[in-house]
Amino acid sequence: MKVKAAVAHSAKQPLSIEMVDLEGPKEGEVLVEIKATGVCHTDAYTLSGADPEGLFPTILGHEGAGIVVEVGSGVKSLQKGDRVIPLYVPECRHCKFCLSGKTNLCQAIRETQGKGVMPDGTSRFSLDGKMLHHYMGTSTFANYTVVPEIALAKIREDAPLEKVCLLGCGITTGIGAVINTAKVQVGDNVVVFGLGGVGLSVIQGAKLAGANMIIGVDINPNKKALGKKLGMTNFVNPKEIEGDLVPYLVNLTNGGADFSFECIGNVNIMRQALECCHKGWGTCVIVGVAGAGEEISTRPFQLVTGRTWKGTAFGGTKGRRDLPKIVDWYMEGKINIDDLITEFMPIEDINKAFELMHEGKSIRSVVIF
Ligand code: APR
Ligand code: ZN
């Protein structure tokens, strides 16, 4: 079939809107009509050419939501008409990782997903007979896409897809980092570095978990108002304080954070995030993605004296198990998605979403098909 897609022909080029060919779902695959998709930094990172795993030409996008149109042979858990969120971290429930109960990093289709193809090693997308790569196993910058069954979370029918699409990445990452990875307890003091879509969602998660102080750190003063609305108790602008940030935060929390979250992807801030943690037990969770080849450092004494460095991908979320529940939280008013959407636009304007992101003006732009 012919579908409308934003094609990334090569790095550093604007996306071009084209009618491309999409083959139907093969065994274990599902054809999904994408109704809405967020535009995320990871898409921009790959498009910039800095992603060593980036493959072109491709159809980017991994923060989508849609409706099942057709299922391939052997698909049992989904049927036509189901509402779904594609998962760049799948959940096969059979691999060593899934069965461990210790991680969300299902490895069932990791290799082919990284190569931009379906689990059978081929692509469903093409343009003028030339293969287009899938991206993160999702390729949501197209009004139809094919996704493996194990990479689709089925959600309730009444959820607005133009909102809950954002649960496919940033918002779930932030909330999950708090609930699944840190396991923040009632009364904990939390410091969040970087108040973009991810950091603001860490704030929401910390509020849900019953944290005491929720301190947001950002160099952009415009982030203060929304942070407060979502549950932030204190805002710290590193440019406005006297002295160094780490002792300032240790003092503010009366000894250090129980948990800190780095939601920027800056290795220098990752060090500050660890060092502002409480001696003896404070834990720093790395959520932001640093550039390829970058390294983190600290004095080992920071760890000897009881601080812990951890990391999380997709907030430790098992998508098929957890996303229906997070959608419920949104529908019940427990989490806020609406205020994180700064722009809606048609696919024809998708390049504007990248511009707004680079200018730091948007939190999330949502493309509606
Ligand atoms: N100190 C404090 N805040 C900073 C700094 C800094 N040195 N540098 C940037 N920031 C703030 C920005 O002002 C912005 O508010 O960090 C925030 C980052 O937000 P976004 O750019 O909107 O990013 P977001 O979508 O939240 O993702 C954050 O997670 O998924 C990854 O790749 C993504 O690494 C990125 C991170
Ligand atoms: Zn698995």
Side-chain angles (χ1 to χ4, degrees):
M1 66 193 280
K2 290 276 181 199
V3 309
K4 194 195 267 190
V7 180
H9 285 284
S10 57
K12 299 192 188 81
Q13 297 300 313
L15 303 183
S16 88
I17 309 302
E18 318 211 24
M19 297 307 292
V20 308
D21 292 295
L22 178 63
E23 269 184 83
K26 296 196 177 170
E27 189 182 350
E29 299 174 359
V30 178
L31 174 66
V32 179
E33 180 179 4
I34 297 292
K35 290 293 193 182
T37 179
V39 179
C40 172
H41 287 88
T42 312
D43 301 307
Y45 176 63
T46 301
L47 188 58
S48 77
D51 178 0
E53 287 195 3
L55 296 161
F56 296 92
T58 187
I59 296 171
L60 300 170
H62 62 283
E63 224 175 44
I67 302 173
V68 171
V69 178
E70 187 189 338
V71 300
S73 65
V75 171
K76 293 200 183 75
S77 66
L78 291 167
Q79 58 185 32
K80 189 173 181 224
D82 284 344
R83 308 289 165 122
V84 288
I85 294 178
L87 303 167
Y88 61 89
V89 179
E91 184 187 343
C92 78
R93 301 177 172 169
H94 295 295
C95 74
K96 182 182 179 187
F97 287 73
C98 282
L99 292 176
S100 74
K102 295 174 182 172
T103 180
N104 66 326
L105 298 178
C106 174
Q107 298 295 295
I109 56 173
R110 180 70 205 94
E111 213 170 305
T112 47
Q113 185 174 316
K115 289 181 181 148
V117 289
M118 285 284 110
D120 76 345
T122 62
S123 171
R124 301 291 158 270
F125 287 109
S126 60
L127 179 61
D128 301 328
K130 206 180 148 214
M131 176 253 211
L132 297 171
H133 291 93
H134 292 256
Y135 177 67
M136 292 176 80
T138 51
S139 288
T140 57
F141 291 169
N143 62 348
Y144 290 84
T145 189
V146 171
V147 180
E149 176 186 18
I150 60 167
L152 287 166
K154 182 178 163 178
I155 60 164
R156 57 197 269 178
E157 270 178 21
D158 57 345
L161 300 178
E162 74 281 8
K163 308 278 177 60
V164 298
C165 61
L166 295 187
L167 297 178
C169 181
I171 296 183
T172 300
T173 296
I175 294 173
V178 176
I179 310 261
N180 302 316
T181 310
K183 300 190 172 74
V184 168
Q185 305 280 301
V186 173
D188 283 344
N189 291 331
V190 168
V191 179
V192 186
F193 292 82
L195 304 183
V198 176
L200 289 166
S201 299
V202 167
I203 289 177
Q204 303 202 55
K207 173 111 189 283
L208 269 180
N212 177 40
M213 295 180 94
I214 305 176
I215 302 165
V217 180
D218 202 298
I219 48 175
N220 180 349
N222 299 331
K223 303 286 176 160
K224 183 174 174 180
L226 188 49
K228 287 254 172 185
K229 185 172 180 188
L230 297 174
M232 180 177 76
T233 59
N234 304 66
F235 179 70
V236 175
N237 184 340
K239 290 179 171 170
E240 285 174 2
I241 58 163
E242 271 184 45
D244 291 336
L245 181 60
V246 169
Y248 181 89
L249 292 169
V250 170
N251 186 40
L252 187 61
T253 50
N254 191 25
D258 296 294
F259 291 98
S260 68
F261 297 85
E262 202 281 356
C263 308
I264 302 167
N266 177 323
V267 292
N268 299 315
I269 310 288
M270 290 178 189
R271 177 175 192 155
Q272 295 183 321
L274 176 81
E275 297 182 355
C276 80
C277 285
H278 205 290
K279 185 176 183 177
W281 65 77
T283 296
C284 169
V285 182
I286 304 297
V287 187
V289 180
E294 295 199 272
E295 297 185 350
I296 49 174
S297 62
T298 189
R299 296 211 182 100
F301 199 65
Q302 293 284 335
L303 306 179
V304 169
T305 49
R307 294 171 195 83
T308 302
W309 238 337
K310 276 189 163 187
T312 181
F314 196 37
T317 307
K318 285 181 177 257
R320 294 165 74 196
R321 183 192 70 185
D322 298 337
L323 276 187
K325 184 177 67 190
I326 301 176
V327 170
D328 285 344
W329 292 349
Y330 169 68
M331 298 301 283
E332 292 159 7
K334 294 187 176 114
I335 59 168
N336 182 325
I337 298 177
D338 301 20
D339 284 329
L340 300 178
I341 302 175
T342 36
E343 209 94 28
F344 286 105
M345 57 185 64
I347 187 82
E348 284 74 15
D349 293 345
I350 193 165
N351 289 305
K352 191 177 144 210
F354 285 90
E355 284 162 28
L356 289 170
M357 189 161 61
H358 293 313
E359 290 164 9
K361 284 189 181 149
S362 62
I363 297 175
R364 277 293 189 277
S365 296
V366 172
V367 167
I368 301 182
F369 288 98

